[in-house]
Amino acid sequence: MQAKKRYLTLFSAGACLILLFCFGGIQVPLSRKGPSRRDDRSLAGYHPGARWRRFSASLQPFSPWEHDQSDSPNEHISPRQKRDANSGVYTGKRCRMESCFDFSLCQRNGFKVYVYPQQKGEKMSESYQNILSSIEGSMLYTPDPGQACLFVLSLDTLDRDQLSPQYVHNLKAKVQSLHLWNGGKNHIIFNLYSGTWPDYTEDLGFDIGLAMLAKASISTENFRPNFDVSIPLFSKDHPRTGGERGYLKHNTIPPYRKYMLVFKGKRYLTGIGSDTRNALYHVHNSEDVVLLTTCKHGKDWQKHKDARCDKDNAEYDKYDYREMLYNSTFCLVPRGRRLGSFRFLEALQAACVPVMLSNGWELPFSEIIDWNTAAVIGDERLLLQIPSTVRSIHQDKILSLRHQTQFLWEAYFNSVEKIVLTTLEIIQDRVLQHTSRSNLMWNSLPGGLFTLPQYSTYLGDFPFYYAKLGVKPYTKFTAIVHVVSPLVSQSQPVMKLLVVVAKSQYCAQVIVVWNCDKPLPAKHRWPVTSVPVIVIEGESKVISSRFLPYDTIPTDAVLSLDEDTVLSTTEVDFAFTVWQSFPDRIVGYPARSHFWDINKERWGYTSKWTNEYSMVLTGAAIYHKYYHYLYTTYLPASLKTMVDQMSNCEDILMNFLVSSVSKLPPIKVTQKKQYKETMMGQSSRASRWADPDHFAQRQTCMNKFASWFGTMPLVHSQMRLDPVLFKDQVSILRKKYRDIERL
């Protein structure tokens, strides 16, 4: 019996040895001259079964797709990736601008965007209509596909959840039938929701080909760097234009609020996105860390309710979400069913520093925005460490984070228009790399949408970066005098004005914009001055020509003057000195204000002298010449045409523009009291100032401009800057701007 067992054991061991030998598990040296097995292990690349690997390495992959998608011969491709190869998620996964974008389309006409005409019978959500309207109203839009560099579908691709009523069926066939589709090349597809219950994949349900994706809740795994654009998830109620300002009105020192960390939202009992929210109760303390969830959502929530549901629901109803949001230092932004969440934009607007808890989410506009300056990036696996992490952040850092949330919200996220334009400008920077914006332009005031690289790529050419660069604007100004009346006498106010301005120690030259119907006067008719006087005939004799970005302006500062303005050289010098400290604002003399008329439910314009103002008219004002470029290129032709047809409101429009960019009021400087009466007494424009139709037009302009901007950008101020020692009881000889008091 024992002998049989021994024979059986020997037989089994022999069989095992044979099998190991056959499958390469044991290497038998064929020659005594070769290296031993111990020496073999020291060789690079040694591993058991080397013969099999050498043999298989010589085989070429059968599928050309597998070959193209592998970065290295040993990269593993999962079966699921192979199955999904044609599903739209992975098609074109290796696309980059260099490989899947035709730059030649952008060489002739620059970066222009074409929107396909809407097809009859195709339903479209309000959100997608807002996206298309924002594109069509921008300076990048072209109605001619032959001039386009980028194409946008009129087919609604925002909601690709098959259970959604907004889902567009048969999208694959509809897209493929478009005659300009060209496999998706030079197209961009906007999407907010993809996939459906229970796994919520990022599949759009059709092959996007070589098209770029502007997608919310996109994962870093599927995001194609320098090709796709990650956008925020926004609701259907998100405003198309304008948008609300951030809620930060003033800072408190120290910057801590009632709550340290808050969250209020749904808790998913099953399925994707449930793990993180189900664990929030571990760090909730009902004091300064208030993390509330409810499982009371969906039709059959009671079927899946757990032991904590009733307690969570009761606690959930005790707190008001808005009150929590506005009174918390940090706001938790955990993932939901998808990676993105509405809580993200809500936290930004409320100046509640977002604490991101969504592993693998490519944050919105991550290509241009440094989110480390505005958010705390957490890890779902380290949830229990979140409270101690946010408590350890220094109050100086909290203030900085909070300010950045407000800047980013107002610059890129508070309207559909800004989200769409930011997306397009990111792509334009890729296409026109030689004129792309710097990181500082995108991440500091006023933001990338208002710093146009077509104007300049040097930060010192803009009025916003002098302090950051440690430089000051050029110490001279160019005066631009707008003339609409013929020269009939040497005693006309415009002749006196030219002499007075030219005497300023800061004046580099004077430009006269001749918008009069009469021919240009002879050169000898103009006064002799110590600085050059250049006369330019206004383009088409329209009033907006005073704001053209003339190449003959060599200075940073522009002193804008009406022909009937009455100023002294001392006043000009003082205004320019003040402007040098506030180069991003309008600095000047005649002030006006706006108000909301409750009875008429519209904006009103007033010229009454009150204790506050919101506009400084460009009849006597200094500002940076960059605003001429913005006025000409950024503002729509419809507003400029309206201004030109009325020959009115150009000064109001410039104030709207500058306040929209700077988010600050203009600055009024000391003026002589008789300024208003003096202007009214002049012959050339007295009738206009006294004309009731002229005033009514300005009321209309206020509301037209506010409608286009989507909000009222003007900001009230009660500040007036006077010279030091102004009106002080000291010797007049001790005062630098003594002439101002003598007027």
Side-chain angles (χ1 to χ4, degrees):
M1 191 71 179
Q2 293 179 352
K4 288 184 177 180
K5 289 183 178 179
R6 285 196 297 269
Y7 293 143
L8 184 59
T9 302
L10 289 171
F11 178 80
S12 300
C16 290
L17 288 172
I18 293 172
L19 289 173
L20 287 171
F21 177 80
C22 292
F23 288 98
I26 298 177
Q27 298 296 315
V28 180
L30 300 180
S31 171
R32 293 183 181 271
K33 297 179 180 179
S36 67
R37 281 192 294 181
R38 182 174 181 180
D39 294 331
D40 257 348
R41 289 195 172 109
S42 68
L43 298 178
Y46 170 83
H47 47 78
R51 289 187 177 183
W52 285 98
R53 291 186 181 269
R54 282 197 297 270
F55 175 76
S56 61
S58 64
L59 295 176
Q60 297 298 320
F62 177 77
S63 168
W65 172 258
E66 293 176 16
H67 179 73
D68 289 341
Q69 293 298 304
S70 298
D71 290 331
S72 65
N74 297 323
E75 182 173 328
H76 175 70
I77 299 177
S78 70
R80 182 172 182 176
Q81 283 178 292
K82 295 175 183 178
R83 290 196 306 271
D84 290 340
N86 296 317
S87 69
V89 177
Y90 293 97
T91 302
K93 186 172 177 63
R94 296 185 61 176
C95 267
R96 299 296 183 267
M97 294 294 290
E98 298 77 14
S99 57
C100 298
F101 192 89
D102 186 358
F103 288 86
S104 65
L105 296 181
C106 314
Q107 293 176 353
R108 288 176 298 176
N109 302 292
F111 187 80
K112 293 295 182 181
V113 184
Y114 173 76
V115 177
Y116 283 85
Q118 187 172 354
Q119 301 178 13
K120 291 184 179 179
E122 287 293 340
K123 62 181 181 180
M124 184 182 297
S125 64
E126 183 180 354
S127 295
Y128 200 65
Q129 287 177 346
N130 288 339
I131 288 176
L132 299 187
S133 297
S134 298
I135 297 173
E136 291 170 347
S138 75
M139 58 183 178
L140 301 176
Y141 173 71
T142 177
D144 182 4
Q147 297 182 355
C149 169
L150 188 67
F151 299 83
V152 179
L153 303 179
S154 62
L155 298 167
D156 191 345
T157 56
L158 282 188
D159 195 340
R160 301 305 298 155
D161 185 339
Q162 297 180 14
L163 301 179
S164 170
Q166 303 292 341
Y167 182 82
V168 177
H169 296 274
N170 303 320
L171 197 55
K172 179 179 179 180
K174 294 174 181 177
V175 169
Q176 296 293 337
S177 66
L178 298 173
H179 68 286
L180 298 172
W181 176 243
N182 191 26
K185 184 169 285 192
N186 288 53
H187 283 67
I188 184 167
I189 295 172
F190 288 88
N191 175 255
L192 294 181
Y193 308 98
S194 62
T196 189
W197 190 88
D199 51 2
Y200 294 93
T201 67
E202 296 182 35
D203 184 6
L204 300 189
F206 69 100
D207 186 0
I208 66 171
L210 305 180
M212 290 178 280
L213 268 178
K215 188 178 186 332
S217 305
I218 191 170
S219 66
T220 53
E221 179 184 358
N222 290 318
F223 181 76
R224 297 168 293 181
N226 197 38
F227 194 70
D228 294 332
V229 179
S230 176
I231 63 174
L233 183 65
F234 58 88
S235 70
K236 62 180 180 180
D237 299 322
H238 207 55
R240 186 180 76 83
T241 60
E244 296 182 9
R245 299 286 299 268
Y247 294 148
L248 182 64
K249 303 302 180 185
H250 59 272
N251 281 312
T252 56
I253 304 296
Y256 306 112
R257 295 176 175 175
K258 179 180 178 180
Y259 304 108
M260 177 60 68
L261 179 68
V262 299
F263 171 75
K264 187 177 182 182
K266 297 176 182 177
R267 177 163 68 88
Y268 306 107
L269 300 171
T270 59
I272 190 170
S274 60
D275 294 343
T276 301
R277 296 195 181 194
N278 280 345
L280 294 182
Y281 76 98
H282 287 296
V283 292
H284 167 76
N285 64 14
S286 298
E287 295 176 359
D288 64 340
V289 177
V290 181
L291 308 178
L292 306 171
T293 59
T294 179
C295 40
K296 194 176 180 180
H297 57 88
K299 296 179 180 179
D300 55 352
W301 69 273
Q302 291 184 333
K303 295 180 181 178
H304 303 286
K305 64 183 292 188
D306 56 22
R308 289 199 345 264
C309 271
D310 291 336
K311 181 181 178 181
D312 286 353
N313 293 343
E315 187 88 355
Y316 185 89
D317 294 334
K318 292 180 182 178
Y319 292 83
D320 179 75
Y321 174 63
R322 293 291 172 185
E323 190 272 338
M324 292 171 59
L325 193 65
Y326 303 152
N327 292 283
S328 181
T329 306
F330 296 93
C331 285
L332 196 67
V333 184
R335 64 160 297 155
R337 289 299 194 192
R338 299 174 178 89
L339 293 172
S341 168
F342 293 129
R343 299 293 182 270
F344 180 67
L345 291 186
E346 292 168 355
L348 284 181
Q349 183 180 14
C352 185
V353 179
V355 179
M356 313 307 302
L357 218 58
S358 183
N359 292 7
W361 182 22
E362 187 72 26
L363 294 180
F365 303 140
S366 55
E367 184 175 335
I368 59 163
I369 294 178
D370 181 5
W371 282 111
N372 290 317
T373 64
V376 177
I377 314 299
D379 190 323
E380 293 179 72
R381 298 166 296 182
L382 303 176
L383 171 64
L384 300 182
Q385 297 181 14
I386 294 297
S388 60
T389 299
V390 297
R391 292 184 200 279
S392 67
I393 298 176
H394 194 272
Q395 61 184 24
D396 291 345
K397 179 65 174 178
I398 293 174
L399 282 173
S400 175
L401 291 168
R402 187 176 292 167
H403 273 284
Q404 196 68 357
T405 63
Q406 299 301 272
F407 158 65
L408 293 175
W409 164 256
E410 295 181 7
Y412 307 120
F413 296 110
N414 69 348
S415 69
V416 175
E417 180 183 55
K418 286 183 180 175
I419 293 172
V420 171
L421 293 182
T422 302
T423 302
L424 298 181
E425 293 290 349
I426 289 173
I427 299 172
Q428 180 175 215
D429 276 5
R430 296 173 185 169
V431 174
L432 308 175
Q433 293 185 8
H434 60 289
T435 58
S436 61
R437 298 164 180 83
S438 66
N439 182 268
L440 181 61
M441 289 179 174
W442 284 113
N443 289 277
S444 61
L445 285 167
L449 297 185
F450 283 125
T451 48
L452 305 184
Q454 296 84 356
Y455 174 76
S456 176
T457 56
Y458 172 54
L459 294 175
D461 288 337
F462 297 90
F464 321 112
Y465 308 111
Y466 292 124
K468 291 183 175 66
L469 296 175
V471 299
K472 294 182 178 180
Y474 186 55
T475 56
K476 298 281 187 178
F477 67 79
T478 298
I480 298 182
V481 184
H482 183 235
V483 178
V484 295
S485 303
L487 290 184
V488 294
S489 169
Q490 292 295 317
S491 62
Q492 282 182 239
V494 66
M495 306 299 280
K496 297 178 181 179
L497 180 64
L498 293 176
V499 174
V500 165
V501 171
K503 286 182 180 179
S504 171
Q505 59 180 314
Y506 304 114
C507 184
Q509 69 176 22
V510 178
I511 296 176
V512 175
V513 178
W514 185 261
N515 270 344
C516 180
D517 294 331
K518 301 294 183 180
L520 278 172
K523 188 175 181 179
H524 69 273
R525 297 283 305 278
W526 298 101
V528 178
T529 60
S530 59
V531 297
V533 175
I534 302 173
V535 182
I536 299 176
E537 195 159 8
E539 184 177 310
S540 304
K541 304 291 185 179
V542 295
I543 200 167
S544 290
S545 61
R546 69 184 301 176
F547 295 141
L548 288 175
Y550 295 108
D551 294 333
T552 50
I553 303 176
T555 60
D556 294 329
V558 170
L559 171 61
S560 177
L561 298 165
D562 286 341
E563 62 179 9
D564 53 3
T565 299
V566 178
L567 289 175
S568 68
T569 303
T570 302
E571 287 176 299
V572 171
D573 287 349
F574 177 64
F576 178 70
T577 303
V578 172
W579 176 85
Q580 288 181 299
S581 298
F582 305 95
D584 57 339
R585 304 205 221 177
I586 297 178
V587 175
Y589 290 97
R592 300 291 184 267
S593 188
H594 75 285
F595 64 95
W596 177 253
D597 191 326
I598 300 177
N599 297 325
K600 297 180 179 179
E601 294 187 344
R602 67 173 191 173
W603 293 107
Y605 170 90
T606 179
S607 59
K608 293 180 179 179
W609 287 28
T610 63
N611 287 318
E612 64 178 14
Y613 62 94
S614 58
M615 292 172 277
V616 167
L617 303 186
T618 55
I622 301 177
Y623 49 81
H624 198 281
K625 69 175 180 180
Y626 176 59
Y627 291 121
H628 276 209
Y629 183 82
L630 276 184
Y631 187 98
T632 304
T633 59
Y634 178 80
L635 294 176
S638 59
L639 293 187
K640 290 180 288 187
T641 300
M642 170 185 169
V643 164
D644 292 337
Q645 289 176 347
M646 294 190 301
S647 292
N648 194 358
C649 302
E650 84 288 353
D651 46 3
I652 298 177
L653 184 55
M654 178 60 86
N655 274 270
F656 267 70
L657 174 63
V658 176
S659 292
S660 178
V661 174
S662 68
K663 306 294 189 297
L664 296 168
I667 294 179
K668 175 181 172 63
V669 290
T670 300
Q671 67 184 90
K672 52 187 181 295
K673 289 185 178 180
Q674 61 266 42
Y675 180 84
K676 183 178 180 182
E677 289 76 13
T678 303
M679 288 187 62
M680 294 297 292
Q682 301 300 329
S683 58
S684 60
R685 295 185 65 183
S687 59
R688 287 185 58 196
W689 288 104
D691 186 2
D693 290 338
H694 176 84
F695 190 77
Q697 286 177 345
R698 294 173 83 79
Q699 303 280 356
T700 302
C701 290
M702 294 287 294
N703 291 278
K704 287 284 187 181
F705 299 163
S707 175
W708 185 83
F709 280 91
T711 186
M712 172 50 72
L714 298 178
V715 183
H716 281 107
S717 175
Q718 297 180 354
M719 180 180 71
R720 186 186 76 180
L721 295 186
D722 301 339
V724 178
L725 300 181
F726 180 73
K727 297 291 186 181
D728 285 353
Q729 299 300 314
V730 297
S731 170
I732 195 71
L733 299 177
R734 294 173 60 184
K735 300 182 180 183
K736 182 176 181 179
Y737 300 101
R738 63 191 69 152
D739 290 343
I740 293 180
E741 296 185 34
R742 293 174 177 171
L743 298 173

